[in-house]
Amino acid sequence: MKTIIEPFRIKSVEPIRFTTKEERAKILEEAGYNPFLIKADDVLIDLLTDSGTSAMSSDQWAGIMRGDESYAGARSFYRFEAAVKKITSDKFIIPTHQGRAAEKILFSILGGKGKYFAANTFFDTTRANVEFSGAEAHDLLNEVGKHPEQRAPFKGDMDVPALEAFIKKYGRENIPLIMLTVTNNSGGGQPVSMKNIKDVSAVCKKNNIPLFLDACRFAENAYFIKLREDGYKDKTVLEICQEMFSYADGSTMSAKKDALVNIGGWLSLNNDRLAMLCRNLLIVTEGFPTYGGLAGRDLEAIAQGLEEVVDEHYLEYRIRSTEYLGEKMLSNGIPIIEPPGGHAIYIDAKRFAPHIPAEQFPGQAITCEMYVEGGIRACEIGSVMFGKKDENGKLIPAMMELIRMAIPRRVYTQSHIDYVAEVLIEVYKKRNELRGYAFTYEAPMLRHFTARFKKI
Ligand code: F0G
């Protein structure tokens, strides 16, 4: 087979700033050893997130100029609505400025004390929105998804018997909604199978509970279904997306991922009364229902991005380039979540630096060293992000200690990725010298964004 090439050529470039190792050591110290607090100009390759970091196409930039900025009923809204409906078939499409704005609206209305929600795994903002409403969020990931070293095609699947037990325990009247995150970001960017979506949907229908997709990476999920699930090889990605959404009653979406834009989102749903309540809250918090916190030009760029993201040459390149980085890690002995996910490679910090206990945040230690060694910014997804405390203030560690290297869409070339691999190999060689970290400041919620640390 020939090399899978980037299915685009580059029209506009952005320079990146080079720094020395000594400079980076100082920058990191000043940032309290938290890569979130480093200036982007001081980063060489930024793998902090694939969210809002996509390169837009010439057609999307042309759409920016075409955007209709009318307050109500803008042409760009109708183009956006049609593009979202083509994929979701949902009756009501409510634009929001990003994913968490859709979550905030949905869970403010459905949540509250005494309510219980379940997902394969809630993303951190989604969980925070559920908990902020006073409700509880439960992750019901299938067993294989909890084992980074085990290979399986659909490690994002929900545990269906656990879902049935959950409904029995808490009572269907106290469960306003079940959610499937596709792909499962916090669990390694692993896909959910069509069979699992269908099975979860059947349980939800039987119990009269709506099923929503957290659809951020729906196209990547659909492409994995095409590659890995029987019966989907000859379907188009668009058809697979449409089938995925057909089993759900609605979706929340961060267009900053699989709509290939820098800002935007939506809440889609079919229930008339819920849509009315959501739109009313939208007007208070986001804006009028035909722009929802976005400019007309943003809606135009999303509509165009949704056409481009289901292109199979794009998805082949996208999934392959992530896998390429994963293979480089594995062939050098670096432990990652296997198989590679869609949008990111997740390093398994527990196996990378087993001498650093969870209380000293091994993921943070490796992330900091990646920055100093090669100017790469990645993100800890472990006990800094998801650790809890017991009544004595002692850490309850996260299920996994991971570092996410998220790949922005259409931004970096193969040689950038080769460089990332070289830096990681260097850090891995020195793994026994890595030291843990302790908090010097932590906020009560979503602490990873603003925390400061000291070296132990
Ligand atoms: N759901 C999932 C699965 C996500 O990955 C994100 C964002 C959101 C919801 C919230 O969307 O950022 O537009 O408000 N994930 C980003 C990330 C931040 O880096 O993975 P948002």
Side-chain angles (χ1 to χ4, degrees), residues 48-51 98-101 103 123 125-126 181 183 185 214 216-217 253-257 264 343 404:
L48 187 64
T49 179
D50 63 320
S51 181
Q98 61 185 88
R100 69 197 70 179
E103 294 161 8
F123 181 65
T125 61
T126 325
T181 311
T183 56
N185 185 4
D214 175 343
C216 297
R217 299 175 181 85
M253 173 73 184
S254 169
K256 300 171 75 170
K257 286 86 171 173
H343 67 296
R404 185 181 73 169

Side-chain angles (χ1 to χ4, degrees), residues 110-126:
L110 295 179
K113 215 171 155 28
K115 301 284 191 223
Y116 301 85
F117 295 88
N120 45 351
T121 313
F122 283 104
F123 181 65
D124 58 352
T125 61
T126 325

Side-chain angles (χ1 to χ4, degrees), residues 51-52 94-107 123-127 129 179 212-217 251-259 261-268 282 286 292-294 302:
S51 181
I94 300 174
T96 59
H97 80 271
Q98 61 185 88
R100 69 197 70 179
E103 294 161 8
K104 170 76 180 150
I105 291 171
L106 187 63
F107 293 113
F123 181 65
D124 58 352
T125 61
T126 325
R127 168 175 288 278
N129 272 304
M179 200 159 215
F212 271 53
L213 298 184
D214 175 343
C216 297
R217 299 175 181 85
S251 67
T252 57
M253 173 73 184
S254 169
K256 300 171 75 170
K257 286 86 171 173
D258 268 355
V261 293
N262 308 118
I263 197 71
W266 73 68
L267 172 60
S268 75
L282 181 88
E286 290 277 294
L294 292 169
I302 294 171

